[in-house]
Amino acid sequence: MHEDKVTAEIRAIARIHNDFPEKFGIPHQSGRLKEQHARIVFEPEYRVPEAFRGLEEYTHIWLIWQFSENVRDTWSPTVRPPRLGGNVRKGVFATRSPFRPNSLGLSSVRLDKIEFQRDLGPVLYVSGADLMDGTPIFDIKPYIPSDSHPEASGGFTDRIEDHKLQVVFPEEWLEMIPEEKRRALTEVLENDPRPGYQSDPDRVYGLAYGKKNIRFQVNGSVLTVCGISEYDKNKR
């Protein structure tokens, strides 16, 4: 036992870059949205090709990262998971809430490819990440088949209905989205980006995706896009 041992300092080794400049709309779990692609760019001191030798042999990797938008000096032993309507408390260690003592997140993502670039060194291209653009990553580890436990119980998440919305995307707005990003954006909208406790059919929501601000309404199981404008984080 070394209870008096000083906790080691950890530092970001990389940052992720994707189409989620804000928290709203990010999938609740990694791997849910297959069309969401991202790049992981390493800090200069970690752009050492030898450190990535053999990583190409794996199809998936673990990311250990920080909920950088939720770092705080205090923590609560219980939280209100949005998927339970925001009015049921669960122990923080029984959830994946970002409001944790050390604000750490863990995600498994698909490793699509590793590209060695002259200016950035090894860059990882991944899909299925549930991280916000610019999120600091502390470590990566290979995902191996034994990490999967099909018989595992999902706790309260087993009781949450996994539903998809029907997305109505009028042509006038769809044309404003680059063709290569349309499937990915539709996937985000189908996944219902709203908090679990909001269901007002008259409410207009705003989702920042890439360089666009997507406005939509949800009536029952139908989501209708009702406007698109250029994204400006200073006007949010």
Side-chain angles (χ1 to χ4, degrees):
M1 296 292 290
H2 300 280
E3 295 180 358
D4 59 344
K5 186 176 181 179
V6 177
T7 302
E9 178 183 353
I10 58 175
R11 63 184 67 183
I13 64 170
R15 291 184 183 272
I16 198 165
H17 299 280
N18 59 22
D19 288 313
F20 291 108
E22 297 182 356
K23 293 183 292 183
F24 184 76
I26 295 177
H28 297 285
Q29 305 293 343
S30 59
R32 281 183 61 87
L33 306 186
K34 309 299 184 184
E35 297 294 330
Q36 302 310 311
H37 303 289
R39 295 184 306 143
I40 296 176
V41 178
F42 288 80
E43 297 297 318
E45 62 188 294
Y46 301 106
R47 298 172 184 176
V48 182
E50 289 79 8
F52 300 83
R53 184 181 301 158
L55 187 60
E56 74 283 352
E57 300 173 12
Y58 299 91
T59 60
H60 294 75
I61 56 176
W62 288 107
L63 305 180
I64 300 172
W65 49 279
Q66 182 183 57
F67 288 100
S68 52
E69 296 294 299
N70 296 104
V71 176
R72 55 182 64 189
D73 295 329
T74 60
W75 69 285
S76 173
T78 61
V79 295
R80 294 187 177 99
R83 286 304 196 188
L84 291 179
N87 53 14
V88 177
R89 283 196 173 274
K90 293 287 184 179
V92 65
F93 299 129
T95 75
R96 296 189 176 185
S97 167
F99 304 105
R100 321 187 67 78
N102 286 306
S103 302
L104 294 180
L106 177 68
S107 299
S108 62
V109 299
R110 182 173 183 84
L111 178 61
D112 296 321
K113 67 176 180 177
I114 305 174
E115 187 175 89
F116 292 84
Q117 301 181 5
R118 178 174 298 181
D119 55 338
L120 297 177
V123 176
L124 308 186
Y125 287 78
V126 301
S127 55
D130 54 342
L131 285 68
M132 181 175 155
D133 181 61
T135 294
I137 296 173
F138 292 132
D139 202 2
I140 64 169
K141 297 178 183 292
Y143 179 104
I144 59 178
S146 62
D147 288 338
S148 175
H149 302 281
E151 76 284 2
S153 169
F156 71 85
T157 64
D158 284 341
R159 301 189 296 273
I160 298 175
E161 181 182 359
D162 187 15
H163 70 284
K164 295 287 187 180
L165 296 178
Q166 175 187 345
V167 175
V168 177
F169 213 137
E171 193 67 28
E172 61 179 308
W173 304 123
L174 186 62
E175 291 179 349
M176 297 180 64
I177 304 299
E179 188 171 355
E180 68 275 12
K181 293 185 180 292
R182 293 176 185 177
R183 286 182 58 191
L185 173 56
T186 300
E187 183 182 50
V188 173
L189 297 174
E190 288 176 343
N191 195 51
D192 195 353
R194 300 173 299 166
Y197 51 84
Q198 293 182 357
S199 59
D200 182 0
D202 296 321
R203 178 165 183 165
V204 176
Y205 299 87
L207 167 69
Y209 190 78
K211 298 180 179 180
K212 302 293 184 181
N213 183 38
I214 316 299
R215 299 203 173 275
F216 65 89
Q217 291 178 291
V218 180
N219 191 343
S221 62
V222 179
L223 181 151
T224 303
V225 175
C226 55
I228 294 181
S229 58
E230 295 299 315
Y231 173 72
D232 184 350
K233 65 179 180 180
N234 297 318
K235 293 184 179 180
R236 299 290 290 178

